[in-house]
Amino acid sequence: MYLVEYFTLSMILPLLGIRGIFSNRRNIIIMSMPIESMLPAVNSNFSVFSVYLDDMMGQSFASLVSTVAAAESAIGPAILVITFWIRGTIAVESTNCMKG
């Protein structure tokens, strides 16, 4: 594939993720799924730039982003479970009382 096709895909994925966040604003779990779909777009940008510029920094940074995404996908649901135990709901409307 050419460079333009990779960048087009990397541009479409975050736009679909933003659309997914704004189309469903009731459930936090479903709102986090489009955010997880935006991370591969960032990783593909890093990888394509790394190959195009013949530099390994983009690929190493993409692996760092994948590591942070794995940690976030483990910690995020744990926070939601604890929030559900304490408040009894994980609805987005009830998160306004988390202000400190």
Side-chain angles (χ1 to χ4, degrees):
M1 287 179 87
Y2 297 106
L3 196 63
V4 176
E5 281 89 3
Y6 284 117
F7 290 132
T8 304
L9 177 68
S10 297
M11 182 179 65
I12 290 172
L13 282 175
L15 292 176
L16 288 174
I18 291 170
R19 182 173 179 250
I21 290 171
F22 286 122
S23 66
N24 187 357
R25 302 180 82 185
R26 294 183 184 160
N27 193 347
I28 295 176
I29 295 173
I30 296 175
M31 282 179 63
S32 66
M33 292 165 109
I35 294 171
E36 292 292 329
S37 72
M38 285 192 247
L39 291 174
V42 174
N43 282 341
S44 68
N45 264 340
F46 285 138
S47 299
V48 168
F49 272 122
S50 175
V51 170
Y52 181 70
L53 298 174
D54 198 27
D55 188 20
M56 288 296 293
M57 284 301 290
Q59 293 175 7
S60 61
F61 201 71
S63 67
L64 178 71
V65 169
S66 297
T67 305
V68 170
E72 181 247 336
S73 65
I75 293 172
I79 292 172
L80 291 176
V81 166
I82 292 172
T83 304
F84 182 75
W85 281 349
I86 293 172
R87 301 196 192 285
T89 183
I90 54 171
V92 177
E93 295 87 19
S94 66
T95 58
N96 62 353
C97 57
M98 291 186 182
K99 296 177 185 174

